[in-house]
Amino acid sequence: MLMFMNKINNKIVTVIAVAFAMFVDAMSYGIIVPLIPIYTDKILNLNDTYISIFLAMYAIGLFVFVPFVYLIAKSIGNKNALLIGGLLLLISCIIFPFSNSFSSLLFARFLQGSAAAITWTCGLSLVAQSVHPQHRSSALATAMIGVSIGHLIGAPFAGFMYEFGGIFFPFYIVGLITLLSMLVIISISKNSEVFTEKRAYNLVNFIKITAHNKTLLALTGIVLLESFMLSYLEPSIALLASRNFNASSETIGLLFGTQVLTLALVSPIAAKLAEKFGKIQVIPFGMLASGLIFIFMTSSTTNLMMYFILMACLGVACAFTISPVLSAFADEIDLTDLKGLYHIGYGFINIVYSIGMLLSPSLNLFISDYLSSQISYLVIGFTLLASTPIFMVLTHLQSGNFQPYSKVPSHLVKNQINNS
């Protein structure tokens, strides 16, 4: 009985530690959004091209570092890898406020993306390993609540702190919270740390498996679309609110905070619905809703309050895609030869997500020359609507509840082998 309680406690501590780490990661990312107009118009006088390059550097750090995360996690374990991610994030928080040149700003942003590669790969892997497959949606939703709260606090927090104490305050406080997160990670017990693989696997193996698995292909497409959609929205809405409505940094922060607040509130509900009716089944609702919201944004050019309402609705829509997609990905991994090797699958997701983030500023440069923000929102909206039936066809709307056991033996971690 005591051993059972210890296992339950270990799972809870693991989920909380990962949620906290992702909270800090999201908060550090969120504080950049309301400060974009500060860097562009007051500190470095950057034009839209430089803004796009700066935003893309996060995705470049994520993309470049993910392949190394697999090696790090395999060598020292997910827990220790998360500590390295915290250290990289701490360094970036120190560099940001001292960035009086574009190159130093890019380096800090690159470190931020590299830290996110570790947090999102090793953190999600720890959660997926620690809970029963039938309850992954709820566990991952808990982690995503950490992300939502981080974005919720990060954006308005940065705006208020900048007005209160200048550019140094937001980054230094996030740095202190990063240190606290690292202490929480240290408290995780040493179960589910180092993988014992029965044969060598890597990202190439997973890409080959994905190419022949329609469900994984469909889920990969959703990750790419979500990444592009949100990455395109961040600078465009921030600059639109600042230039068209003279919105302050606090207002811009609250605008994005509205979206992540509804995401945090609805994510547990969406997770329960996904566990009851099937993860694949609830995802199309989020896609359809997101597409309609982007279309409605084209008619809100003179009303800032309407953007607040639409951002709140977008948070609800994202709740039906983000955690169900992450959970469904782990479910599909368990049906392949890579069962249990979630760090490889989530590493692949992060690469796809970073590609979406890279495509967003690149296409933004092209689109801004020919289309207004409203027309680009219309294009994104119809793309999401058109992708929904494609997703449904690829997945065949497979039956609701995931069967948690496949015929493939799991790749147990050392601790699990010793206890078996």
Side-chain angles (χ1 to χ4, degrees), residues 3 6 13 15 70 111 120 142 157 186 204 209 215 239 243 283 307 311 317 346 371 383:
M3 184 178 296
N6 287 335
V13 171
V15 173
Y70 163 73
L111 288 178
W120 281 80
T142 301
F157 168 83
I186 292 174
V204 175
I209 290 174
T215 300
L239 293 173
R243 295 169 179 174
I283 293 172
Y307 279 106
M311 289 294 279
Y346 287 130
L371 302 175
T383 300

Coordinates of all heavy atoms in Angstrom, one line a residue, residues 3 6 13 15 70 111 120 142 157 186 204 209 215 239 243 283 307 311 317 346 371 383:
M3 N 3.9 1.5 -1.0 CA 4.6 1.6 -2.4 C 3.7 2.2 -3.4 O 4.1 3.0 -4.2 CB 5.1 0.2 -2.8 CG 5.9 0.2 -4.1 SD 6.5 -1.4 -4.6 CE 7.6 -1.7 -3.2
N6 N 3.4 5.9 -2.8 CA 4.6 6.5 -3.3 C 4.6 6.7 -4.8 O 5.0 7.8 -5.3 CB 5.9 5.7 -2.9 CG 6.2 5.9 -1.4 OD1 5.7 6.8 -0.7 ND2 6.8 4.9 -0.8
V13 N 4.0 14.6 -8.3 CA 5.2 15.5 -8.3 C 5.7 15.8 -9.7 O 6.1 16.9 -10.1 CB 6.3 15.0 -7.4 CG1 7.6 15.8 -7.5 CG2 5.8 15.0 -5.9
V15 N 4.2 15.5 -12.6 CA 3.2 16.4 -13.4 C 3.3 17.8 -13.0 O 3.4 18.7 -13.8 CB 1.8 15.8 -13.3 CG1 0.8 16.8 -14.0 CG2 1.7 14.5 -14.0
Y70 N 17.5 14.6 -27.8 CA 17.4 13.2 -27.7 C 18.7 12.6 -27.1 O 18.6 11.7 -26.3 CB 17.2 12.6 -29.2 CG 17.4 11.2 -29.3 CD1 16.5 10.2 -28.7 CD2 18.6 10.7 -29.9 CE1 16.8 8.9 -28.9 CE2 18.8 9.3 -30.1 CZ 17.9 8.4 -29.5 OH 18.1 7.1 -29.6
L111 N 18.8 31.2 -27.3 CA 18.9 30.4 -26.1 C 17.5 30.1 -25.5 O 17.3 29.0 -25.0 CB 19.7 31.2 -25.1 CG 21.2 31.3 -25.3 CD1 21.8 32.2 -24.2 CD2 21.9 29.9 -25.3
W120 N 10.0 21.2 -23.6 CA 8.8 20.6 -24.3 C 9.0 19.1 -24.7 O 8.1 18.4 -24.8 CB 8.4 21.4 -25.5 CG 7.7 22.7 -25.2 CD1 8.2 23.8 -24.7 CD2 6.3 22.9 -25.2 NE1 7.2 24.7 -24.5 CE2 6.0 24.2 -24.8 CE3 5.2 22.1 -25.7 CZ2 4.7 24.7 -24.7 CZ3 3.9 22.6 -25.6 CH2 3.7 23.9 -25.1
T142 N -3.0 19.2 -17.7 CA -2.5 19.9 -16.5 C -1.2 20.6 -16.9 O -0.9 21.8 -16.4 CB -2.2 18.9 -15.4 OG1 -3.4 18.2 -15.1 CG2 -1.6 19.6 -14.2
F157 N 2.1 40.8 -17.3 CA 3.2 41.1 -16.3 C 4.3 41.9 -16.9 O 4.8 42.9 -16.3 CB 3.7 39.8 -15.8 CG 5.0 39.9 -15.0 CD1 4.9 40.2 -13.6 CD2 6.2 39.6 -15.6 CE1 6.1 40.3 -12.9 CE2 7.4 39.7 -14.9 CZ 7.3 40.1 -13.5
I186 N 14.4 19.2 -9.2 CA 15.3 18.4 -8.4 C 14.5 17.5 -7.5 O 15.0 16.4 -7.2 CB 16.3 19.3 -7.7 CG1 17.2 20.0 -8.6 CG2 17.1 18.5 -6.6 CD1 18.1 21.0 -7.9
V204 N 15.0 9.7 -37.4 CA 14.8 9.2 -38.7 C 13.9 8.0 -38.7 O 13.0 7.9 -39.5 CB 16.2 8.8 -39.3 CG1 15.9 8.1 -40.7 CG2 17.1 10.0 -39.5
I209 N 8.3 6.0 -39.7 CA 7.0 5.4 -39.2 C 5.9 6.4 -39.4 O 4.8 6.0 -39.8 CB 7.2 5.2 -37.7 CG1 8.1 4.0 -37.4 CG2 5.8 4.9 -37.0 CD1 8.4 3.7 -36.0
T215 N -2.7 8.5 -39.2 CA -3.0 9.3 -38.0 C -1.9 10.2 -37.6 O -2.1 11.3 -37.3 CB -3.4 8.3 -36.9 OG1 -4.5 7.5 -37.3 CG2 -3.8 9.1 -35.7
L239 N 1.2 44.4 -33.0 CA 1.5 45.6 -33.8 C 0.2 46.3 -34.3 O 0.1 47.5 -34.3 CB 2.4 45.3 -35.0 CG 3.8 44.8 -34.7 CD1 4.5 44.3 -35.9 CD2 4.6 45.9 -34.0
R243 N -0.6 50.1 -33.3 CA -0.6 51.1 -34.3 C -2.0 51.6 -34.7 O -2.2 52.8 -35.0 CB 0.1 50.6 -35.5 CG 1.6 50.3 -35.3 CD 2.3 49.5 -36.5 NE 3.7 49.3 -36.2 CZ 4.5 48.5 -37.0 NH1 4.0 47.9 -38.1 NH2 5.8 48.4 -36.6
I283 N -10.8 16.8 -31.8 CA -9.8 17.8 -32.5 C -10.5 18.6 -33.6 O -10.3 19.8 -33.7 CB -8.6 17.0 -33.0 CG1 -7.8 16.5 -31.8 CG2 -7.7 17.9 -33.9 CD1 -6.7 15.5 -32.2
Y307 N -11.7 42.2 -30.7 CA -10.5 41.4 -30.7 C -10.3 40.7 -29.4 O -9.8 39.5 -29.4 CB -9.2 42.2 -31.0 CG -9.0 42.5 -32.5 CD1 -9.3 43.8 -33.0 CD2 -8.6 41.5 -33.4 CE1 -9.1 44.1 -34.4 CE2 -8.4 41.8 -34.7 CZ -8.7 43.1 -35.2 OH -8.5 43.3 -36.5
M311 N -10.2 36.7 -29.3 CA -9.0 36.0 -28.6 C -9.4 35.0 -27.5 O -8.9 34.0 -27.4 CB -8.0 37.0 -28.1 CG -7.3 37.8 -29.2 SD -6.1 36.8 -30.1 CE -4.7 36.8 -29.0
A317 N -11.0 27.3 -28.5 CA -10.8 26.4 -29.7 C -9.5 25.7 -29.5 O -9.4 24.5 -29.8 CB -10.8 27.3 -31.0
Y346 N 8.0 13.3 -29.2 CA 7.8 14.7 -28.8 C 8.9 15.6 -29.4 O 8.7 16.8 -29.6 CB 7.7 14.9 -27.3 CG 6.3 14.4 -26.8 CD1 6.2 13.6 -25.7 CD2 5.1 14.8 -27.4 CE1 5.0 13.1 -25.3 CE2 3.9 14.4 -27.0 CZ 3.8 13.5 -25.9 OH 2.6 13.1 -25.5
L371 N -0.8 41.7 -49.1 CA -2.1 41.6 -48.4 C -2.1 42.3 -47.1 O -1.1 42.4 -46.4 CB -2.4 40.1 -48.1 CG -2.4 39.1 -49.3 CD1 -2.6 37.7 -48.9 CD2 -3.5 39.5 -50.3
T383 N -8.0 28.1 -44.7 CA -7.0 27.0 -44.7 C -7.4 26.0 -43.5 O -7.4 24.8 -43.7 CB -5.6 27.5 -44.5 OG1 -5.3 28.4 -45.6 CG2 -4.6 26.3 -44.5

